[in-house]
Amino acid sequence: MISKELDRAGLPVATVTAMYPVAEQVGASRIVKAVAIPHPCGDPSLPAQLDGELRREIVATALKALETKVETTTVFTPKAAAFS
């Protein structure tokens, strides 16, 4: 997985994926749980305002992941309230 190699090179990477168990298996260091495979960073079935809030929460979680020093694989979960 390319994120692993970028991390080794000193570039922090946050992998946003709905398939987080796969990312864990391959050893990605920072994993952000996404919504679904066809729409990882949003939910088009939500009203536009809620979808926007959800997208912002996922991006904010990914930025937090990038700022966090990790030693092993760490999964970051966006706030559950954003998914309602």
Side-chain angles (χ1 to χ4, degrees):
M1 179 173 245
I2 194 161
S3 66
K4 214 168 138 179
E5 295 304 317
L6 289 170
D7 252 348
R8 281 189 199 148
L11 298 168
V13 175
T15 303
V16 179
T17 179
M19 297 176 45
Y20 63 92
V22 175
E24 285 179 305
Q25 287 177 348
V26 297
S29 59
R30 294 171 189 85
I31 303 165
V32 179
K33 286 186 179 181
V35 177
I37 293 171
H39 304 286
C41 292
D43 184 348
S45 68
L46 292 174
Q49 181 178 349
L50 288 178
D51 185 41
E53 290 173 16
L54 172 60
R55 291 171 184 263
R56 281 187 290 282
E57 180 59 30
I58 292 169
V59 171
T61 302
L63 290 172
K64 178 183 171 191
L66 289 173
E67 295 173 345
T68 304
K69 182 176 173 121
V70 297
E71 298 297 323
T72 67
T73 297
T74 305
V75 178
F76 296 83
T77 304
K79 292 179 190 169
F83 291 97
S84 317

